[in-house]
Amino acid sequence: MESKLVYQSFDRVEADALAMVLCEDDTAPPELKPVAAWLEELRTSGEFSGKAAELAVLHQPQGLKAKRLVVVGGGKRAAFDSAALRKAASSTARALKQKGVKTLAWWLSSGDPAAVIEGAFLGNFEPDRHKPSSEAKSLEAFHVVAAANGAELEQAAERGRILGEAQNFTRDLVNEPANKLTPLRLAERAHTMASEFGLECEVLDQDRMRQLGMGSLLGVAQGSAEPPALIVVRYKPATAPKTGDHLGLVGKGVTFDTGGVSIKPAEGMEKMKYDMAGGAAVLGAMQAIAQLKPAIPVTALIPAVENMVGSRAQRPGDIVTSLSGKTIEVLNTDAEGRLILVDALTYAQRLGCTHLVDAATLTGAIVVALGHVNIGAFTNHDEMLGRVMAAAKSEGEKMWHMPLDDDYKELLKSAFADLANIGGRYGGAVSAAWFLKEFVGETPWVHLDIAGTAWLDEAKPYMAKGPTGVCVRTFTKLAMGW
């Protein structure tokens, strides 16, 4: 989809549709004076009150060159922030493209053009790549129209395009079925992206990981005919920061999760292609970071494996030795994400990362605790968590600080190894985070459990069913604000 910023008066905009926001408590702006009677009728009849996600369409509006005038509800003006603007643009794009609109213009009376353009890209995405018979329609062009120009507006519009495309790249990866996105194919996609955007990419194969001693990661991979990969993507700023800080982003990359010998129920297992959403989010963030160019070096690591039931699959009771040297008793092979992440976290520290954030569809327990609204956030360093949560808040991605008290460590005791890979029925998201914490030492670290937020089971007005691209905006903002 083409996107650009246009400087033009409201009545001169030529497009299939021209949209603008009206909140519940807004009075009609001067631009809508030619259609004041229509707007008053909408308000009086209750057809349009300005509530979020409401749309009203007027065909062939008097005094305008656009073929349609669209008023978009924004909810309460006091609560109408960039996140609400993003959703408004996304829901408008989703609704109008189905009505045959190809060129959509958005009147920017106020707000951030980045949020508008980003929202349009998100709303234009459909998960129908493998559906040749699909009749889904899409926008061809999205224009943000402003009355006066400015360098800041241009920069913001470009940022919106970059973030929108990066999230859709992530969503496209997550949406791929496991027969089309194996660990090695994920590595290929990462390498292609890195080459296109000027990043360094290295892929550690099974032999190299064995030489290094990544027994925890390789134990998960051994049940699959598809070989694993540890994907490393590096961004280096033109000038190294004086602080010496180096941000590491680690994303779980289980391209399909059967649960292994501790097999999952058949119902809903098809969704387990999304178990690499953390890794995809990290790659999407790196695509955005490469273009926006923060001042801090950023290294992304994605341990990519399939967790399958095969003749060589690891068994409950197996003991593996991680890259750190700690031994792990595998009590449940379906708690595999933490096993691959710990070797990646250890390797990230060896590569010089001074601050770590990981994202993983790690536990069903976090969905029980927080539903599909908040990401569960865990940390060993309150200042680091503050940075991450501030970035998330500014980008409209909700997170909730979860506990990581020392008492929970008792859940991971093992009589036969340094620790067990599960901690029992209760506090499952916490014990999983504690497991990861055992491998980061004193390095400032934040763990984000995105199991409840990385996938939509049903479409929303502002987003299609399927992958959400969660964490791409937060990771990008974190790097840019360092």
Side-chain angles (χ1 to χ4, degrees), residues 60 68 87 105 110 192 196 252 261 329 355 431 462 469:
Q60 303 300 328
R68 302 170 182 85
K87 282 187 176 181
S110 63
T192 299
E196 181 179 350
K252 175 183 172 183
V261 172
E329 183 182 12
H355 297 75
S431 60
Y462 55 87

Side-chain angles (χ1 to χ4, degrees), residues 228-307:
L230 178 58
I231 304 162
V232 182
V233 180
R234 296 180 178 90
Y235 161 79
K236 295 179 181 178
T239 304
K242 295 178 181 179
T243 61
D245 289 350
H246 183 168
L247 179 61
L249 302 177
V250 181
K252 175 183 172 183
V254 179
T255 58
F256 194 78
D257 183 18
T258 66
V261 172
S262 308
I263 196 165
K264 294 177 180 291
E267 184 178 356
M269 195 194 288
E270 74 284 348
K271 201 173 89 172
M272 286 301 101
K273 65 181 183 178
Y274 102 123
D275 214 15
M276 39 66 71
V282 165
L283 289 175
M286 293 302 288
Q287 177 175 307
I289 285 167
Q291 297 170 83
L292 295 172
K293 303 188 183 306
I296 186 175
V298 185
T299 298
L301 298 95
I302 302 94
V305 303
E306 271 192 339
N307 187 25

Side-chain angles (χ1 to χ4, degrees), residues 32-84:
L32 294 183
K33 187 176 180 180
V35 295
W38 170 71
L39 190 61
E40 180 61 28
E41 184 179 342
L42 289 176
R43 296 274 200 185
T44 302
S45 66
E47 185 178 341
F48 180 86
S49 63
K51 291 181 179 178
E54 281 187 338
L55 289 180
V57 181
L58 177 62
H59 290 261
Q60 303 300 328
Q62 182 182 357
L64 303 183
K65 285 198 170 185
K67 295 178 182 178
R68 302 170 182 85
L69 173 64
V70 184
V71 287
V72 182
K76 298 289 185 184
R77 173 58 67 177
F80 191 71
D81 55 9
S82 291

Side-chain angles (χ1 to χ4, degrees), residues 424-441:
R425 179 179 180 184
Y426 300 107
V430 183
S431 60
W434 240 110
F435 184 88
L436 300 179
K437 182 176 181 289
E438 285 286 297
F439 295 84
V440 295

Side-chain angles (χ1 to χ4, degrees), residues 183-202:
L184 290 186
R185 286 181 182 173
L186 178 59
E188 289 173 5
R189 295 284 295 270
H191 190 273
T192 299
M193 181 276 293
S195 297
E196 181 179 350
F197 293 99
L199 299 168
E200 297 177 10
C201 183
E202 178 187 10

Side-chain angles (χ1 to χ4, degrees), residues 16 25 28 140 150 209 220 293 304 343 428 443 476:
D16 290 338
D25 39 355
E140 295 175 357
M209 287 187 277
V220 176
K293 303 188 183 306
D343 279 350
T443 302
T476 305

Side-chain angles (χ1 to χ4, degrees), residues 351-387:
L351 293 179
C353 295
T354 60
H355 297 75
L356 296 170
V357 187
D358 75 75
T361 49
L362 204 63
T363 67
I366 202 67
V367 189
V368 175
L370 299 177
H372 299 284
V373 177
N374 276 279
I375 297 166
F378 303 80
T379 192
N380 66 350
H381 195 276
D382 287 343
E383 183 182 346
M384 181 65 178
L385 179 65
R387 284 180 183 250

Side-chain angles (χ1 to χ4, degrees), residues 1 121 160-170 287 291:
M1 181 181 75
F121 273 96
R161 179 194 63 78
I162 289 168
L163 286 171
E165 290 181 344
Q167 287 169 87
N168 284 348
F169 169 63
T170 289
Q287 177 175 307
Q291 297 170 83

